[in-house]
Amino acid sequence: MAKLAKKRNEDPNKYLIGIGQEKMAVIPPTQDAVTLAANAADTILTEEDKEKIDLVLVATESGVDNSKSSAAYVSELLGLKHNIRTLELKQACYAATAGIQLAKGHISLNPHKKALVIGTDIARYGLKTPGEPTQGGGAVAMVISADPAVLALEDASSYYAKDIMDFWRPLSQTEAMVDGKYSANVYLEFFEQVFHDFQEQTGLTLRDFTALLFHLPYTKQGLKALRLAVENIDPTQATKYFNEFEASRKYNKLTGNLYTGSLYLSLLSLLENSDNLQAGDRLGLFSYGSGAQGEFFSGILQENYRQHLTNKTTSLLNKRQEVSVAEYEKLFNSVLTNEKNRTLDTTSDPATYVLTGIKDFKRQYQKK
Ligand code: CAA
């Protein structure tokens, strides 16, 4: 980000501190929302999961087709059974949360089944735009079951929706349009609204939470929301929440915005980087999707949750190869769009699932 800032004639500290981002994931043209999703899920699914999954919800605002769902491609690539439901969900960065809540309802009715929920996106605002330093990409996959290994979702949830134009992407566009400052303010308004409502509804207060997690379009945005949440408590008590926040933004600082996956990468970051968490702790999660939808909900950390963490995220992120600003711009401009035919060279893409091109408008995927 510091190198990008220099090329854009900005002070590096604007990106590093003002925006709160150290690195930005640059997604090669051989990856799209489908392959990112399949690669994420492939690393966590056991044979037992594959046997029990009968619902696959892929949340994305980077979908590759206006009709066919990414979940149809992903389920086939992962070798899941055919007697399942597959669906793509869209409501900007919020949709993975909708997926979790819908999956929770499905599992309540069918406790012997499991559901796979994936948030997968590539955040694109355009070269040399104010949104550029808040780009990024990636996917997070989660299994929802009646016997959770990591986090047990609690019943209460507070949600709020309003038709506004803070961020959107017309069907013909490959880059998002955004009213940046407005979007940042609406995000905070929605947070205050649902966090307040959640406390009214449940009788819980901030003290009942060990940490608060946020959708992180860029990590400074979550910091601003946390400051609002702790403004009426003793500063020494607030320190604990800021410390957990640092653990929760570690990975997001290194990837940029994952859109639908952002909140859940932050959850993973907290779980893998905080030394203070214990089984029984309550975590509060704030999900925000422009347009706009907000939701605040909570979960309880499960006994032995640490045993279920792979702790591979840092090595995965460290394996990435740095590209120069010129290379990044070239990659940015070579994304597959509305072409009929094109073959992509996948030799330098180390991922298991890759996009090899498009034939007669049909995307071609391969498991390496
Ligand atoms: N050292 C330290 N800090 C510096 C600095 C320096 N040298 N120079 C500037 N800064 C600070 C500024 O003071 C500012 O801090 P505050 O926000 O605390 O005031 C911060 O850096 C950013 O500076 P600007 O406001 O001048 O930056 P900008 O106008 O160029 O753009 C942005 C910032 C509006 C966030 C823009 O990047 C953008 O539009 N991003 C995309 C929209 C977005 O992510 N919105 C978030 C809410 S919407 C959502 O959450 C859904 C989603 O995922 C998109």
Side-chain angles (χ1 to χ4, degrees):
M1 295 305 288
K3 288 172 188 167
L4 180 64
K6 282 188 188 145
K7 286 277 182 198
R8 300 295 184 247
N9 294 319
E10 296 279 9
D11 180 345
N13 282 338
K14 173 174 173 182
Y15 291 3
L16 300 173
I17 300 166
I19 299 277
Q21 291 302 134
E22 282 173 31
K23 294 185 182 182
M24 176 171 93
V26 174
I27 311 293
T30 48
Q31 292 291 316
D32 66 8
V34 167
T35 57
L36 291 176
N39 284 309
D42 193 49
T43 59
I44 61 159
L45 293 184
T46 63
E47 285 310 312
E48 193 214 330
D49 291 336
K50 287 189 176 181
E51 187 48 42
K52 290 192 171 171
I53 287 170
D54 73 340
L55 176 67
V56 179
L57 299 174
V58 175
T60 185
E61 52 186 301
S62 318
V64 298
D65 195 285
N66 285 327
S67 176
K68 180 171 172 174
S69 93
S70 308
Y73 291 109
V74 170
S75 304
E76 196 70 36
L77 286 170
L78 293 171
L80 299 182
K81 297 180 305 185
H82 289 113
N83 48 340
I84 55 174
R85 288 192 182 120
T86 59
L87 195 71
E88 182 171 306
L89 302 172
K90 177 170 70 183
Q91 178 34 62
C93 308
Y94 165 76
T97 302
I100 289 172
Q101 299 294 3
L102 294 173
K104 186 176 142 198
H106 175 73
I107 296 304
S108 301
L109 285 173
N110 304 280
H112 303 299
K113 304 290 188 189
K114 293 189 176 192
L116 174 63
V117 178
I118 310 174
T120 177
D121 274 299
I122 302 171
R124 292 168 60 89
Y125 292 92
L127 305 176
K128 300 173 187 164
T129 63
E132 185 180 35
T134 66
Q135 295 180 135
V140 179
M142 295 164 277
V143 174
I144 310 295
S145 78
D147 182 22
V150 176
L151 192 75
L153 298 168
E154 294 192 283
D155 287 343
S157 190
S158 195
Y159 27 84
Y160 187 73
K162 212 169 171 183
D163 176 11
I164 57 163
M165 295 302 279
D166 61 330
F167 166 106
W168 66 104
R169 184 163 68 84
L171 289 176
S172 58
Q173 310 284 317
T174 50
E175 281 83 55
M177 297 185 157
V178 63
D179 190 340
K181 297 272 185 325
Y182 176 57
S183 71
N185 289 334
V186 178
Y187 170 114
L188 297 177
E189 274 171 35
F190 271 55
F191 168 65
E192 288 199 292
Q193 174 76 31
V194 289
F195 188 43
H196 176 76
D197 185 61
F198 186 88
Q199 293 177 83
E200 292 259 296
Q201 204 192 113
T202 59
L204 297 171
T205 65
L206 180 60
R207 280 187 189 76
D208 295 302
F209 295 93
T210 305
L212 295 187
L213 292 154
F214 301 91
H215 165 56
L216 295 177
Y218 50 98
T219 73
K220 176 76 164 292
Q221 181 73 50
L223 183 60
K224 287 183 184 181
L226 181 60
R227 283 179 183 151
L228 290 176
V230 302
E231 66 186 355
N232 293 323
I233 67 165
D234 189 316
T236 51
Q237 290 182 336
T239 307
K240 156 182 141 176
Y241 294 101
F242 287 113
N243 288 342
E244 300 306 336
F245 179 73
E246 288 310 319
S248 75
R249 72 163 159 173
K250 199 170 166 193
Y251 295 157
N252 302 67
K253 270 187 168 186
L254 302 175
T255 59
N257 198 351
L258 264 68
Y259 287 164
T260 48
S262 161
L263 169 62
Y264 302 100
L265 180 66
S266 180
L267 168 62
L268 185 63
S269 186
L270 177 78
L271 297 179
E272 293 190 347
N273 295 300
S274 168
D275 297 326
N276 308 314
L277 298 178
Q278 293 173 9
D281 284 350
R282 175 177 288 110
L283 308 180
L285 294 91
F286 171 61
S287 180
Y288 178 76
S290 292
Q293 177 73 51
E295 181 157 345
F296 188 91
F297 63 107
S298 62
I300 304 289
L301 277 179
Q302 298 299 280
E303 220 44 69
N304 304 323
Y305 76 90
R306 283 184 199 275
Q307 289 172 14
H308 297 276
L309 303 174
T310 60
N311 288 308
K312 284 184 186 156
T313 319
T314 299
S315 67
L316 193 66
L317 292 174
N318 287 344
K319 275 191 208 152
R320 294 180 299 174
Q321 185 191 329
E322 183 175 336
V323 289
S324 66
V325 173
E327 285 166 328
Y328 141 67
E329 290 179 347
K330 199 171 160 208
L331 288 166
F332 185 91
N333 288 326
S334 48
V335 67
L336 202 60
T337 50
N338 293 324
E339 296 131 276
K340 186 176 179 195
N341 290 298
R342 188 161 132 203
T343 303
L344 296 168
D345 180 4
T346 60
T347 44
S348 58
D349 187 334
T352 306
Y353 296 96
V354 290
L355 172 67
T356 60
I358 190 158
K359 271 189 205 160
D360 286 332
F361 292 113
K362 294 173 193 156
R363 285 188 179 232
Q364 306 293 309
Y365 295 109
Q366 188 189 58
K367 183 175 183 183
K368 276 192 178 173

PDB file of all heavy atoms in Angstrom, residues 51 53-55 80-85 113:
ATOM      1  N   GLU A  51     -20.803 -35.415   2.980  1.00  0.00           N
ATOM      2  CA  GLU A  51     -21.922 -36.359   3.019  1.00  0.00           C
ATOM      3  C   GLU A  51     -23.188 -35.671   3.552  1.00  0.00           C
ATOM      4  O   GLU A  51     -24.291 -35.914   3.076  1.00  0.00           O
ATOM      5  CB  GLU A  51     -21.508 -37.538   3.929  1.00  0.00           C
ATOM      6  CG  GLU A  51     -22.460 -38.704   3.988  1.00  0.00           C
ATOM      7  CD  GLU A  51     -22.928 -39.188   2.627  1.00  0.00           C
ATOM      8  OE1 GLU A  51     -22.096 -39.258   1.706  1.00  0.00           O
ATOM      9  OE2 GLU A  51     -24.145 -39.465   2.495  1.00  0.00           O
ATOM     10  N   ILE A  53     -23.827 -32.208   3.842  1.00  0.00           N
ATOM     11  CA  ILE A  53     -24.243 -30.898   3.296  1.00  0.00           C
ATOM     12  C   ILE A  53     -25.370 -31.076   2.286  1.00  0.00           C
ATOM     13  O   ILE A  53     -25.222 -31.817   1.312  1.00  0.00           O
ATOM     14  CB  ILE A  53     -23.036 -30.175   2.638  1.00  0.00           C
ATOM     15  CG1 ILE A  53     -22.091 -29.657   3.718  1.00  0.00           C
ATOM     16  CG2 ILE A  53     -23.502 -29.020   1.751  1.00  0.00           C
ATOM     17  CD1 ILE A  53     -20.761 -29.146   3.198  1.00  0.00           C
ATOM     18  N   ASP A  54     -26.497 -30.398   2.550  1.00  0.00           N
ATOM     19  CA  ASP A  54     -27.576 -30.438   1.558  1.00  0.00           C
ATOM     20  C   ASP A  54     -28.050 -29.030   1.198  1.00  0.00           C
ATOM     21  O   ASP A  54     -29.083 -28.849   0.569  1.00  0.00           O
ATOM     22  CB  ASP A  54     -28.751 -31.309   2.033  1.00  0.00           C
ATOM     23  CG  ASP A  54     -29.558 -30.638   3.123  1.00  0.00           C
ATOM     24  OD1 ASP A  54     -29.034 -29.713   3.782  1.00  0.00           O
ATOM     25  OD2 ASP A  54     -30.732 -31.023   3.318  1.00  0.00           O
ATOM     26  N   LEU A  55     -27.270 -28.024   1.636  1.00  0.00           N
ATOM     27  CA  LEU A  55     -27.593 -26.633   1.286  1.00  0.00           C
ATOM     28  C   LEU A  55     -26.277 -25.893   1.055  1.00  0.00           C
ATOM     29  O   LEU A  55     -25.409 -25.899   1.933  1.00  0.00           O
ATOM     30  CB  LEU A  55     -28.374 -25.973   2.432  1.00  0.00           C
ATOM     31  CG  LEU A  55     -28.717 -24.497   2.265  1.00  0.00           C
ATOM     32  CD1 LEU A  55     -29.716 -24.286   1.127  1.00  0.00           C
ATOM     33  CD2 LEU A  55     -29.302 -23.915   3.557  1.00  0.00           C
ATOM     34  N   LEU A  80     -19.692 -32.214  -4.457  1.00  0.00           N
ATOM     35  CA  LEU A  80     -20.788 -32.448  -3.508  1.00  0.00           C
ATOM     36  C   LEU A  80     -21.874 -33.289  -4.172  1.00  0.00           C
ATOM     37  O   LEU A  80     -21.914 -33.432  -5.392  1.00  0.00           O
ATOM     38  CB  LEU A  80     -21.360 -31.113  -3.025  1.00  0.00           C
ATOM     39  CG  LEU A  80     -20.381 -30.201  -2.287  1.00  0.00           C
ATOM     40  CD1 LEU A  80     -21.074 -28.932  -1.815  1.00  0.00           C
ATOM     41  CD2 LEU A  80     -19.736 -30.913  -1.098  1.00  0.00           C
ATOM     42  N   LYS A  81     -22.769 -33.809  -3.322  1.00  0.00           N
ATOM     43  CA  LYS A  81     -23.851 -34.649  -3.834  1.00  0.00           C
ATOM     44  C   LYS A  81     -24.766 -33.813  -4.730  1.00  0.00           C
ATOM     45  O   LYS A  81     -24.706 -32.583  -4.718  1.00  0.00           O
ATOM     46  CB  LYS A  81     -24.695 -35.155  -2.657  1.00  0.00           C
ATOM     47  CG  LYS A  81     -23.947 -36.045  -1.698  1.00  0.00           C
ATOM     48  CD  LYS A  81     -24.860 -36.493  -0.569  1.00  0.00           C
ATOM     49  CE  LYS A  81     -25.505 -35.319   0.149  1.00  0.00           C
ATOM     50  NZ  LYS A  81     -26.309 -35.694   1.314  1.00  0.00           N
ATOM     51  N   HIS A  82     -25.645 -34.479  -5.469  1.00  0.00           N
ATOM     52  CA  HIS A  82     -26.572 -33.729  -6.312  1.00  0.00           C
ATOM     53  C   HIS A  82     -27.932 -33.504  -5.648  1.00  0.00           C
ATOM     54  O   HIS A  82     -28.675 -32.625  -6.080  1.00  0.00           O
ATOM     55  CB  HIS A  82     -26.743 -34.420  -7.669  1.00  0.00           C
ATOM     56  CG  HIS A  82     -25.509 -34.283  -8.514  1.00  0.00           C
ATOM     57  ND1 HIS A  82     -24.713 -35.345  -8.858  1.00  0.00           N
ATOM     58  CD2 HIS A  82     -24.892 -33.195  -9.023  1.00  0.00           C
ATOM     59  CE1 HIS A  82     -23.681 -34.915  -9.556  1.00  0.00           C
ATOM     60  NE2 HIS A  82     -23.763 -33.611  -9.668  1.00  0.00           N
ATOM     61  N   ASN A  83     -28.244 -34.268  -4.597  1.00  0.00           N
ATOM     62  CA  ASN A  83     -29.523 -34.020  -3.916  1.00  0.00           C
ATOM     63  C   ASN A  83     -29.335 -32.941  -2.843  1.00  0.00           C
ATOM     64  O   ASN A  83     -29.422 -33.170  -1.646  1.00  0.00           O
ATOM     65  CB  ASN A  83     -30.132 -35.304  -3.336  1.00  0.00           C
ATOM     66  CG  ASN A  83     -29.132 -36.122  -2.544  1.00  0.00           C
ATOM     67  OD1 ASN A  83     -27.919 -35.960  -2.723  1.00  0.00           O
ATOM     68  ND2 ASN A  83     -29.602 -36.960  -1.662  1.00  0.00           N
ATOM     69  N   ILE A  84     -29.016 -31.723  -3.359  1.00  0.00           N
ATOM     70  CA  ILE A  84     -28.790 -30.568  -2.478  1.00  0.00           C
ATOM     71  C   ILE A  84     -29.472 -29.340  -3.074  1.00  0.00           C
ATOM     72  O   ILE A  84     -29.848 -29.342  -4.247  1.00  0.00           O
ATOM     73  CB  ILE A  84     -27.275 -30.245  -2.315  1.00  0.00           C
ATOM     74  CG1 ILE A  84     -26.601 -30.035  -3.676  1.00  0.00           C
ATOM     75  CG2 ILE A  84     -26.573 -31.325  -1.551  1.00  0.00           C
ATOM     76  CD1 ILE A  84     -25.174 -29.571  -3.568  1.00  0.00           C
ATOM     77  N   ARG A  85     -29.577 -28.269  -2.255  1.00  0.00           N
ATOM     78  CA  ARG A  85     -30.066 -26.981  -2.755  1.00  0.00           C
ATOM     79  C   ARG A  85     -28.860 -26.065  -2.947  1.00  0.00           C
ATOM     80  O   ARG A  85     -28.043 -25.941  -2.026  1.00  0.00           O
ATOM     81  CB  ARG A  85     -31.010 -26.322  -1.746  1.00  0.00           C
ATOM     82  CG  ARG A  85     -32.348 -26.986  -1.644  1.00  0.00           C
ATOM     83  CD  ARG A  85     -33.286 -26.077  -0.861  1.00  0.00           C
ATOM     84  NE  ARG A  85     -34.587 -26.718  -0.709  1.00  0.00           N
ATOM     85  CZ  ARG A  85     -35.140 -26.996   0.465  1.00  0.00           C
ATOM     86  NH1 ARG A  85     -34.532 -26.674   1.580  1.00  0.00           N
ATOM     87  NH2 ARG A  85     -36.308 -27.556   0.519  1.00  0.00           N
ATOM     88  N   LYS A 113     -28.446 -32.500   9.068  1.00  0.00           N
ATOM     89  CA  LYS A 113     -27.795 -32.011   7.839  1.00  0.00           C
ATOM     90  C   LYS A 113     -26.769 -30.944   8.184  1.00  0.00           C
ATOM     91  O   LYS A 113     -26.682 -30.486   9.325  1.00  0.00           O
ATOM     92  CB  LYS A 113     -28.848 -31.408   6.903  1.00  0.00           C
ATOM     93  CG  LYS A 113     -29.972 -32.344   6.550  1.00  0.00           C
ATOM     94  CD  LYS A 113     -29.486 -33.450   5.641  1.00  0.00           C
ATOM     95  CE  LYS A 113     -30.663 -34.278   5.142  1.00  0.00           C
ATOM     96  NZ  LYS A 113     -30.222 -35.476   4.446  1.00  0.00           N
TER      97      LYS A 113
END
